[in-house]
Amino acid sequence: MQHSQTKLALILLVFSFVIISEVEGQNYFETIGDTIPGTEVYFTMVALPGGTFILGTPENEAGHKGDEGPQQEVNLSPFYIGIHEVTYDEFLLFSSSERDNPESASGTQFDPDLIARPSPPYEDPAHGMGTMGHPAVGMTQWSALQYTYWLSSKTGIFFRLPTEAEWEYACRAGQMTAYSFGETPDSLDVYAWYYGNSDETYHAVGQKAPNPWGIFDMHGNVAEWMLDEYSPDFYEKLDSTSSEDPWNLPTRLHPRTVRGGTYDDSPESLRCGSRLRSDLDWKRRDPQIPRSMWWNTDSPFVGFRIVRPMIQPSAEQQREFWSTALGQ
């Protein structure tokens, strides 16, 4: 992967500063909020300054796996990231054409008939665990990407999924420890839903404490789709050029990377550096031939959150990104 391709595809531009405030002893960066046009559905993002950090985990970290190394120093451009996982409330506006108001943000062009939308799922993607206020789950990575395309088209602001490096940077929140709150999972109950406290179900977003940068549910609740194709040796291939805003560019539909751990996982799977590859068994009960591009019948534990660059890319740059990410 060439450096120029990565920079163009990611479209991450320099942002000069962020505002920091002290809230209950933690540093929170400036947040921005937006309402999806034509609705009252609101989401919030936090501005992260970017910079250099160490991607991956040391071999002596409890729970370390081979695909989490070798550790590499990488540099990230500034970006915004959602403080919550995308909720059912938000995703439903995209997945249901009846609920999608044709109104768009001022000055943008939006034709709802030109948007590809999910086919009705074979069964409840959430398996009855909760809808409004809860994370949207059960969609494929391609479906999550289509949501970001819809949101970008509707708002006139470019959104996408996070790269692995961006996600881990946001999860660590300036820390070098296994979790954003420390080296051991002793305080995990404060920050995360996992098998020890979840009652085998995910929960409404934002119920646990945020990490030091004000981001909720980075540990547990539901795992999250990344922009990257999964490769066990991705870190080994990073060098002085590809370590700038690294993205493992997709060359095939599967496998993709998932991060964060779930409500049904052990503590070690909730570490900032833990990686999971997608599995075709996540749609094993799908009776359709071919199986749905939109839904995984057996992954109610996977959702996603969104990011956006600090400065809007050009229309041409956006078209190239969607061509690369969605094949359209």
Side-chain angles (χ1 to χ4, degrees):
M1 177 178 63
Q2 297 296 316
H3 175 54
S4 59
Q5 291 178 313
T6 304
K7 295 297 289 185
L8 179 59
L10 285 178
I11 319 166
L12 295 172
L13 303 176
V14 176
F15 183 67
S16 59
F17 65 91
V18 292
I19 301 171
I20 301 176
S21 60
E22 290 290 332
V23 180
E24 296 182 357
Q26 296 203 64
N27 289 328
Y28 290 93
F29 293 106
E30 178 188 28
T31 59
I32 58 171
D34 204 354
T35 301
I36 297 177
T39 78
E40 296 181 354
V41 177
Y42 186 86
F43 62 95
T44 303
M45 308 187 82
V46 61
L48 302 186
T52 300
F53 88 109
I54 303 299
L55 176 69
T57 65
E59 292 183 3
N60 63 353
E61 181 173 295
H64 168 87
K65 296 179 180 178
D67 66 352
E68 297 170 18
Q71 289 184 291
Q72 297 279 14
E73 182 176 273
V74 302
N75 189 68
L76 297 178
S77 301
F79 61 97
Y80 293 98
I81 189 168
I83 68 169
H84 297 124
E85 294 152 339
V86 170
T87 63
Y88 178 86
D89 318 49
E90 298 165 65
F91 195 79
L92 185 61
L93 297 175
F94 157 64
S95 62
S96 172
S97 59
E98 291 79 14
R99 294 175 180 266
D100 186 9
N101 191 305
E103 181 179 339
S104 64
S106 177
T108 66
Q109 298 293 321
F110 177 71
D111 185 346
D113 293 332
L114 297 180
I115 298 296
R117 300 182 192 275
S119 56
Y122 172 68
E123 59 183 24
D124 174 18
H127 290 204
M129 290 189 289
T131 53
M132 296 303 187
H134 293 71
V137 296
M139 75 293 294
T140 62
Q141 191 251 25
W142 189 79
S143 181
L145 274 169
Q146 289 283 2
Y147 172 87
T148 64
Y149 177 70
W150 166 80
L151 187 63
S152 299
S153 301
K154 194 170 182 68
T155 63
I157 300 171
F158 177 69
F159 296 94
R160 58 171 172 78
L161 298 178
T163 65
E164 284 201 71
E166 289 169 336
W167 189 94
E168 186 170 323
Y169 175 72
C171 183
R172 292 190 181 280
Q175 312 303 308
M176 290 295 295
T177 49
Y179 306 89
S180 64
F181 51 83
E183 195 63 57
T184 70
D186 295 349
S187 300
L188 197 56
D189 282 356
V190 177
Y191 295 90
W193 297 109
Y194 68 111
Y195 86 89
N197 64 4
S198 68
D199 292 327
E200 300 182 343
T201 184
Y202 61 63
H203 293 258
V205 301
Q207 300 301 300
K208 293 293 185 177
N211 74 7
W213 286 354
I215 311 172
F216 296 84
D217 298 315
M218 294 296 275
H219 304 293
N221 208 25
V222 297
E224 301 170 16
W225 286 115
M226 300 293 102
L227 194 59
D228 304 68
E229 179 177 310
Y230 173 83
S231 173
D233 58 355
F234 176 40
Y235 301 172
E236 295 178 11
K237 298 177 180 178
L238 295 178
D239 56 29
S240 59
T241 55
S242 61
S243 62
E244 296 283 329
D245 294 321
W247 174 27
N248 196 26
L249 220 65
T251 59
R252 51 185 175 170
L253 189 62
H254 177 82
R256 300 298 170 92
T257 309
V258 176
R259 290 289 200 119
T262 80
Y263 60 86
D264 202 30
D265 277 335
S266 62
E268 67 179 28
S269 296
L270 276 62
R271 293 172 299 114
C272 293
S274 179
R275 306 172 70 207
L276 178 65
R277 61 173 288 164
S278 62
D279 194 321
L280 291 177
D281 279 349
W282 292 354
K283 56 168 75 253
R284 66 182 181 274
R285 288 185 294 177
D286 187 346
Q288 303 173 89
I289 300 176
R291 290 178 173 178
S292 174
M293 288 279 292
W294 295 97
W295 302 102
N296 288 330
T297 53
D298 299 275
S299 65
F301 48 83
V302 180
F304 67 102
R305 75 178 70 223
I306 58 175
V307 304
R308 58 168 280 193
M310 294 290 185
I311 300 175
Q312 276 290 279
S314 68
E316 181 180 351
Q317 289 173 318
Q318 290 189 47
R319 283 193 295 270
E320 182 160 347
F321 174 85
W322 296 122
S323 176
T324 300
L326 292 174
Q328 61 182 42

